[in-house]
Amino acid sequence: MSVSTIRPARLVGLTSGAALLVLALAGCVPNNPTSGEALTVEITDTTCVVSANTAQAGTVKFSAKNTGSQVNEFEILAADKLRIVGEKENITPGQSVDYVTHLEPGTYYTECKTGMVGEGVGTTKFTVTGKSAKVDASKQQQIDTAVTNYIGYIKDRTAALVPAVKEFTEAYRSGDDEKARALFGPARVNYERIEPTAEAFGDLDPKIDIREGDASEDGVPFIGFHRIEKDLWAPAGFTPSDPAGRAELADGLEQNIQKLYDLVHEPKFTVSLDDISNGAIGLLDEVATSKITGEEDEFSHTDLYDFQANVEGAAVAYGNVRDIAKASGADGAKLVESIDAKLDALNKMLATYGSLDTGFVAYNTLTTDQVKELSDAINALSEPLSKLTHTVLGVSSK
């Protein structure tokens, strides 16, 4: 889980040098970039500076560099400073990444989130000018179909999530720990498939899926799936919740899962084309940068359920924009071929450890070599997948 494109919105950047930082603090960063030119985002643990505070409507590319000591994320917020309209998570110290999104004319805010939890830093007004970009009718039909299909997938997965979580929480609430343990991994699957959606709704994702380390570092409540997980696989010296405490945790998780269901079933709920492609990238990035260490399910070691669900969610998102990428030209067709092959290879590797239907081996039973093999396969897929949004939006990845 990351604590952070469909939630009431945010996106972040950093500073590249003292002169730029001074300009940013004075409220006067450089103006509009040349069309097609990437905006730089300079990130530290305490600052987030974008090289310009305006851009032309349409496809906007950000090149972010994290020179801080902690993992960070860049967010773009709507005018209300609540709804996240775009984000790039898991930017590790020393890493430089590109993030591409489509922005309509209007007022936005950029910010970064150190440790991917808590309040954003460097929140700065960002104005998008010009007119909405026109898309030819045939491509627009492809886009509309991709969006419609992916929204349907999100709604379907949340509809399956509600009863799965309820079955799990009822077992936990009643003290049937053996049943609750068996249901923990499966109950999380549909959430992990669509996690970028939950991350777009403010603090809903942390309430559902925050890890203990993230909660303690930022001083936020440790609740949700992983707090219940700690009760069910209580480490030495830890006293599990009493019945009243269990009821409170179970009720809270059920309520937040229901809230997620209600939000995605609202008539106005929608996603954009880049939400879909960036969601695929984000799901795999999260596995590659944090879950591979085994820190997600640190008590139960059911991480492989999450891995498989993340990969499946990324595959569905990718599948919805695959034809658009393939039709973009020779480079797009080559990219699709590469993603297809590496996705197939990763799924085959995961299948050697089990399946969502039959269960997976505990992640802590894998050898160092096996973990490295998985990591290499994930990174191999991450490389071409990182170019997906560039391709579907027609932006150079160079």
Side-chain angles (χ1 to χ4, degrees):
M1 182 234 51
S2 66
V3 184
S4 86
T5 279
I6 307 165
R7 81 190 176 208
R10 19 166 217 160
L11 197 110
V12 230
L14 291 174
T15 170
S16 63
L20 184 56
L21 178 57
V22 170
L23 285 172
L25 293 175
C28 53
V29 287
N31 254 344
N32 229 14
T34 302
S35 178
E37 179 184 348
L39 296 173
T40 61
V41 184
E42 300 287 342
I43 304 170
T44 70
D45 294 343
T46 57
T47 62
C48 179
V49 179
V50 182
S51 60
N53 57 14
T54 63
Q56 287 292 316
T59 301
V60 183
K61 180 177 179 179
F62 296 88
S63 292
K65 183 176 182 179
N66 182 1
T67 58
S69 63
Q70 298 185 54
V71 65
N72 216 309
E73 65 179 295
F74 173 63
E75 299 181 326
I76 300 169
L77 307 181
D80 59 9
K81 296 185 182 180
L82 295 174
R83 186 171 51 87
I84 298 169
V85 297
E87 65 182 351
K88 180 63 178 177
E89 298 182 301
N90 294 301
I91 308 173
T92 56
Q95 186 180 25
S96 295
V97 298
D98 287 341
Y99 173 74
V100 179
T101 189
H102 178 89
L103 296 175
E104 290 293 305
T107 298
Y108 301 87
Y109 288 85
T110 61
E111 68 177 23
C112 296
K113 185 156 286 193
T114 306
M116 302 203 304
V117 292
E119 295 299 318
V121 300
T123 306
T124 303
K125 186 177 180 180
F126 187 82
T127 304
V128 177
T129 60
K131 298 180 180 180
S132 299
K134 292 184 178 180
V135 180
D136 68 76
S138 60
K139 184 170 182 179
Q140 188 61 57
Q141 185 174 16
Q142 284 185 303
I143 293 172
D144 292 344
T145 298
V147 168
T148 298
N149 290 346
Y150 194 64
I151 290 173
Y153 174 74
I154 291 170
K155 291 181 176 180
D156 181 68
R157 292 304 88 208
T158 54
L161 179 64
V162 171
V165 169
K166 188 170 182 60
E167 183 182 13
F168 164 65
T169 51
E170 285 180 345
Y172 165 70
R173 186 189 285 108
S174 70
D176 190 346
D177 287 3
E178 183 178 356
K179 182 178 180 180
R181 291 189 194 103
L183 292 173
F184 177 74
R188 292 172 47 76
V189 166
N190 282 307
Y191 185 79
E192 292 293 331
R193 284 169 170 157
I194 60 166
E195 190 168 4
T197 298
E199 292 172 351
F201 293 117
D203 62 353
L204 188 56
D205 175 61
K207 288 179 178 177
I208 292 172
D209 205 33
I210 196 166
R211 302 164 181 163
E212 183 175 32
D214 293 332
S216 61
E217 286 177 11
D218 200 56
V220 299
F222 180 36
I223 57 176
F225 275 123
H226 295 299
R227 175 60 183 82
I228 294 175
E229 176 195 9
K230 189 173 184 179
D231 273 351
L232 293 172
W233 285 272
F238 174 73
T239 302
S241 302
D242 61 17
R246 286 190 174 216
E248 183 178 359
L249 288 167
D251 290 348
L253 180 58
E254 288 178 9
Q255 290 163 10
N256 287 315
I257 293 295
Q258 183 64 48
K259 185 176 181 180
L260 175 61
Y261 173 92
D262 293 342
L263 286 166
V264 304
H265 283 81
E266 287 183 352
K268 292 184 178 180
F269 172 77
T270 190
V271 298
S272 65
L273 184 65
D274 52 291
D275 284 335
I276 301 172
S277 57
N278 283 326
I281 296 168
L283 280 167
L284 205 65
D285 278 353
E286 190 168 323
V287 179
T289 59
S290 63
K291 290 182 179 177
I292 195 68
T293 64
E295 66 186 62
E296 177 77 357
D297 302 312
E298 63 175 310
F299 308 110
S300 64
H301 305 298
T302 55
D303 305 79
L304 288 170
Y305 282 92
D306 291 0
F307 285 20
Q308 185 69 68
N310 285 158
V311 172
E312 287 188 4
V316 170
Y318 159 65
N320 276 282
V321 300
R322 181 181 182 278
D323 288 348
I324 298 173
K326 188 174 183 179
S328 67
D331 287 345
K334 184 182 293 186
L335 180 69
V336 164
E337 182 180 0
S338 177
I339 293 174
D340 286 351
K342 289 176 172 60
L343 180 59
D344 182 59
L346 178 56
N347 275 318
K348 287 179 178 177
M349 187 177 297
L350 284 168
T352 64
Y353 300 109
S355 71
L356 294 177
D357 291 332
T358 62
F360 285 96
V361 301
Y363 190 59
N364 62 339
T365 65
L366 270 62
T367 66
T368 301
D369 287 343
Q370 288 173 322
V371 171
K372 184 180 185 304
E373 184 182 37
L374 262 178
S375 179
D376 289 345
I378 292 165
N379 289 329
L381 175 57
S382 293
E383 193 278 325
L385 195 64
S386 69
K387 302 174 184 176
L388 183 61
T389 302
H390 296 79
T391 302
V392 299
L393 294 183
V395 180
S396 172
S397 60
K398 298 178 181 179

